[in-house]
Amino acid sequence: MSATTSSLPAPGAPVVEAAASSSILGQLKTTMSAWPAMLAIALLSLLLVGTIFAPWLGTVDPTLMDPAIRLKPMSAEHWLGTDAYGRDVYSRTLFGARVSLAVGLGAVVASLLVGLVLGILAGYFKAADTVIMRFLDGVMAIPGILLAIALVSLSGASLFTVLVAISIPEIPRVARMVRSVILSVRNEPYVEAAVSLGTRVPVLVLRHMLPNTYAPLIVQGTYIFAAAILTESVLSFLGAGIPPETPSWGNVMAEGRVYFQMLPGLILYPGLLLSLTVLSVNILGDALRDALDPRFSRRF
């Protein structure tokens, strides 16, 4: 009898977890095979390849200025023409993707890590809940753009400052989401069973609670990525973001807005690439949401 009992699955049901994982993978495969998701993945893959191989795909140095060829139209040497300083628009747009993707990825990592820690503390420890959430409510009360402009104005324009300025407004949203997940699972039978067995708090949180946050964090990360790219472009366009000498989509559009009627491509090309990138990330985020959360399951 004891041998039979010991061979039964322990609470937590690995067999059930394996079946659930298989179901999620199947739903993920089905959702990602839809044409909008596949198109979004293809566009993002091309963009990623372009950013990695930008030094070899670019025609000339994106920072090289040549006043003798300023504001030239498309040609065999300069595929998208030149800007007001004689710099190659194609190379600046291509290298600008590097900055935008770096800001988006950095904002995702920073906001998810900090928000995850604060959300776990607020959701598990009642004494810290009020303090953390009221502080985050105060941060959310400040418009993100104004907060970013203020931080950049105080610290100076740099990639790190822009990254911090973009990440701070996203942290409260991540923390509130993680807190809600922790509060919803802390009274589940498998968590109470682990507590009754004397499981230490770090192990309890990391092993039994944290896995429940993976799916919403992945989806939230895609939306943060898209929002960070847009915010960086807006800040650079307003002159409060990346330094002007550094190629970024916002800087390219900001420098070309004066000459828009003469050469609309100065804004059109980086703006089109920015729009396609944000649209692709949002489509990918919707597909992940549909696959990871059955409540939103639908077909394209």
Side-chain angles (χ1 to χ4, degrees):
M1 180 67 178
S2 59
T4 305
T5 303
S6 62
S7 63
L8 293 175
V15 177
V16 176
E17 292 179 1
S21 299
S22 177
S23 176
I24 291 175
L25 289 176
Q27 180 65 23
L28 184 62
K29 182 178 179 180
T30 302
T31 307
M32 289 301 175
S33 62
W35 70 265
M38 294 183 64
L39 181 59
I41 293 174
L43 290 174
L44 291 176
S45 299
L46 288 175
L47 181 65
L48 183 60
V49 170
T51 57
I52 293 176
F53 296 100
W56 295 275
L57 296 176
T59 54
V60 295
D61 184 354
T63 61
L64 180 63
M65 294 185 290
D66 187 355
I69 57 172
R70 60 189 301 268
L71 298 176
K72 293 292 184 180
M74 293 185 294
S75 63
E77 184 179 2
H78 302 283
W79 295 352
L80 299 181
T82 59
D83 62 7
Y85 299 95
R87 296 173 297 191
D88 186 69
V89 175
Y90 164 73
S91 296
R92 289 183 62 79
T93 302
L94 187 61
F95 277 84
R98 280 188 158 190
V99 175
S100 297
L101 293 183
V103 169
L105 183 60
V108 169
V109 173
S111 58
L112 289 188
L113 287 179
V114 178
L116 181 63
V117 173
L118 294 178
I120 291 175
L121 293 176
Y124 191 83
F125 299 101
K126 294 182 179 180
D129 187 15
T130 302
V131 176
I132 293 176
M133 296 314 298
R134 296 297 76 77
F135 172 75
L136 295 179
D137 288 343
V139 174
M140 292 185 67
I142 306 173
I145 291 293
L146 294 181
L147 178 61
I149 292 176
L151 290 176
V152 171
S153 300
L154 292 174
S155 304
S158 66
L159 180 60
F160 178 76
T161 304
V162 171
L163 181 59
V164 172
I166 294 175
S167 301
I168 289 178
E170 301 294 341
I171 292 175
R173 300 180 178 88
V174 176
R176 291 171 69 90
M177 181 190 65
V178 174
R179 172 181 176 270
S180 65
V181 173
I182 298 299
L183 290 176
S184 66
V185 303
R186 64 179 301 170
N187 294 323
E188 291 291 328
Y190 66 90
V191 175
E192 294 180 348
V195 173
S196 65
L197 292 174
T199 305
R200 294 180 300 172
V201 173
V203 177
L204 179 67
V205 172
L206 294 177
R207 184 175 181 180
H208 299 285
M209 293 185 172
L210 189 60
N212 293 279
T213 65
Y214 292 163
L217 283 178
I218 291 173
V219 177
Q220 185 68 21
T222 60
Y223 297 136
I224 293 175
F225 189 90
I229 293 177
L230 278 176
T231 303
E232 183 276 322
S233 298
V234 171
L235 290 174
S236 298
F237 189 83
L238 296 175
I242 305 297
E245 63 273 11
T246 303
S248 72
W249 289 337
N251 283 338
V252 175
M253 289 187 289
E255 294 165 355
R257 69 183 186 273
V258 179
Y259 308 97
F260 176 73
Q261 293 183 343
M262 182 187 305
L263 291 174
L266 294 177
I267 292 182
L268 179 61
Y269 301 130
L272 181 61
L273 195 56
L274 172 64
S275 301
L276 289 176
T277 302
V278 173
L279 178 61
S280 300
V281 173
N282 284 332
I283 291 175
L284 187 60
D286 289 341
L288 289 172
R289 182 198 62 186
D290 295 340
L292 299 175
D293 193 339
R295 294 175 300 175
F296 296 99
S297 180
R298 60 178 174 83
R299 291 186 181 274
F300 288 103

